[in-house]
Amino acid sequence: MKPARTDFPEDFLFGAATAAYQIEGSAYGGAGPCHWDSFAATPGNVVRAEDGSVACDHYHRWEGDLDLMKDAGLDAYRFSTSWARVMPEGRGAVNAEGLDYYDRLVDGMLARGLKPFQTLYHWEMPSALADLGGWTNRDVAHWFADFAEVITRRIGDRVAAVATINEPWCVAWLSHFLGHHAPGKRDIRAAARAMHHVLLAHGAAVERLRGMGQPNLGIVLNFDHCTPASDSAADVLTTATQDAIFNRWFIEGITRGTYPAEALAGLAPHMPKDWQADMPLIGQKLDWLGVNYYSRHIHAFAPDTPWPHGRDVPGPLPKTQMGWEIYPEGLYGFLTRLSRDYVGDLPIYVTENGMANADEVLNGSVNDHVREDYLFAHLDATRRAIADGANVKGFFYWSLLDNYEWAFGYEKRFGLVHVDFETLQRLPKASYHALARAIAR
Ligand code: FCB
């Protein structure tokens, strides 16, 4: 089925998403070093040890990239503003060139009729703050609120929405427990602290920005559908624990003022002292919720490993270039579950959804029909969730461009637009044209 704009509410927004470090080129414009630079420079962390120093050179090519979104008929653009670009040391001195850049970028969106959806933190922890422990240091909350204030004073009058943090699960768990992302820690105590401090920083930034009168504040959480490998009690319990860590921790911290018991079962001894006292700050009202969704994982009990005693089992469904199963039903499930169990009528945006594919340019075009199918299936899941009562207000495809896919370097292509990383030339793929046709007015 091919959804069209007319299948969605009149004010529904279609957009594309990117993130600063993945596209801009951190070598340009006076940005400071961030923990991804040093993580990538350490053997074994990133495919071919690639980093974001040049990336898509969006820093110089942003006008053409915004034109691509305008030409596709998109309504909104989800972008992020790099902490290390705005404040190279993370605190104190501000990089005027960085502020000027975001100022021009936002004006460029408005000039093209694109609503700016800003994310404050999409993973560029400035190295000077990483030296002090980054997310494991409680002070990160006010460092982050200070950064939020500085960038908001410059562009806050023109952005349509602000998200504090992109994917706290990745910031905390993937990066401090699993060690796959910067800073590459594998330590349960560091992970527990990051799991709490990331929400504390969110709360501190919301409080600061709301105090300045900034409207439309939210957060972007990621969700992964958890399926038990069997109906044995052990697999079911392991799956519930994974669901608690991944899918419940952050939304329950914000909306219920506490963390799920299944996750505290392992994390409680490692939590910062008196964490409970922080929950009112964390639990401030949101104006909207961002949902990132890609896939599902199948979980089995692993008795030979420490808590959470789990391992992933390969699933039977068709997979993307990332090896992630394609499971649109999971998106329907989260949109309806979130509105039913947690946020009620609060506006929800699908802030990321997309697939990596081993795209190739053949005779001047990229025929990524598999991506069209993925996109349309997830748009249809969104449409069905709206019909069943979820207040979903928009959908952002990840990503506009092929870009720096973190630990996978430039190998995994998620874009609607192909990027040749030798020449940096852009080429809209078949999926770009298909989306443009679907949303044409
Ligand atoms: C999400 C990230 C985004 C991108 C996609 C594929 O976890 O927010 O930057 O890497 O996955």
Side-chain angles (χ1 to χ4, degrees), residues 165-187:
I165 304 217
N166 179 68
E167 301 192 346
W169 180 86
C170 291
V171 171
W173 198 257
L174 188 66
S175 309
H176 295 80
F177 188 83
L178 300 176
H180 297 324
H181 276 191
K185 281 203 178 251
R186 292 169 181 262
D187 184 280

Side-chain angles (χ1 to χ4, degrees), residues 22 122-123 166-167 294 352 398 405-406 414:
Q22 295 179 272
H122 204 127
W123 307 354
N166 179 68
E167 301 192 346
Y294 289 91
E352 284 182 33
W398 181 274
E405 182 42 43
W406 307 113
F414 274 92

Side-chain angles (χ1 to χ4, degrees), residues 37-49:
D37 298 316
S38 49
F39 184 74
T42 310
N45 286 338
V46 176
V47 171
R48 294 185 292 261

Side-chain angles (χ1 to χ4, degrees), residues 294-353:
Y294 289 91
S295 187
R296 72 156 184 180
H297 283 83
I298 301 178
H299 303 279
F301 179 53
D304 46 338
T305 65
W307 185 90
H309 312 300
R311 68 186 162 85
D312 291 356
V313 180
L317 302 176
K319 298 180 183 58
T320 72
Q321 191 190 16
M322 298 293 280
W324 296 346
E325 286 190 293
I326 300 175
Y327 188 61
E329 206 49 36
L331 178 58
Y332 171 86
F334 282 117
L335 295 174
T336 48
R337 174 182 173 189
L338 285 162
S339 61
R340 184 187 61 232
D341 294 350
Y342 297 107
V343 301
D345 273 345
L346 190 78
I348 297 176
Y349 291 86
V350 177
T351 33
E352 284 182 33
N353 171 254

Side-chain angles (χ1 to χ4, degrees), residues 82-309:
S82 161
W83 189 348
R85 179 177 297 291
V86 171
M87 301 173 91
E89 296 282 310
R91 298 182 286 181
V94 170
N95 172 28
E97 210 178 325
L99 283 182
D100 290 348
Y101 166 68
Y102 290 122
D103 196 80
R104 288 193 300 273
L105 189 66
V106 168
D107 281 346
M109 293 176 215
L110 296 178
R112 290 166 179 79
L114 296 164
K115 288 192 186 349
F117 272 60
Q118 179 193 5
T119 301
L120 287 164
Y121 184 78
H122 204 127
W123 307 354
E124 299 94 351
M125 173 62 68
S127 298
L129 301 183
D131 291 345
L132 302 176
W135 291 107
T136 66
N137 186 333
R138 180 180 177 84
D139 289 336
V140 72
H142 63 86
W143 300 333
F144 181 63
D146 289 347
F147 157 61
E149 177 172 344
V150 167
I151 183 69
T152 300
R153 288 212 182 281
R154 187 62 184 268
I155 63 171
D157 57 337
R158 283 156 290 153
V159 295
V162 181
T164 52
I165 304 217
N166 179 68
E167 301 192 346
W169 180 86
C170 291
V171 171
W173 198 257
L174 188 66
S175 309
H176 295 80
F177 188 83
L178 300 176
H180 297 324
H181 276 191
K185 281 203 178 251
R186 292 169 181 262
D187 184 280
I188 194 168
R189 180 176 164 93
R193 274 139 211 280
M195 290 286 276
H196 182 64
H197 294 154
V198 70
L199 283 184
L200 189 63
H202 156 78
V206 168
E207 180 184 61
R208 185 78 64 87
L209 298 187
R210 195 158 275 142
M212 292 165 60
Q214 184 68 26
N216 219 13
L217 307 174
I219 187 168
V220 170
L221 306 180
N222 55 322
F223 297 91
D224 191 273
H225 185 89
C226 298
T227 303
S230 77
D231 53 15
S232 76
D235 285 350
V236 169
L237 177 63
T238 299
T239 306
T241 305
Q242 294 294 342
D243 188 59
I245 297 168
F246 204 125
N247 299 316
R248 294 174 51 205
W249 181 273
F250 305 100
I251 192 67
E252 292 189 9
I254 293 170
T255 63
R256 298 192 178 165
T258 190
Y259 296 126
E262 292 88 336
L264 284 173
L267 293 179
H270 309 288
M271 291 291 283
K273 196 159 163 280
D274 295 335
W275 59 267
Q276 293 87 345
D278 296 328
M279 299 318 280
L281 181 62
I282 288 172
Q284 291 164 93
K285 196 183 136 295
L286 294 175
D287 300 315
W288 60 280
L289 175 68
V291 172
N292 291 359
Y293 174 81
Y294 289 91
S295 187
R296 72 156 184 180
H297 283 83
I298 301 178
H299 303 279
F301 179 53
D304 46 338
T305 65
W307 185 90
H309 312 300

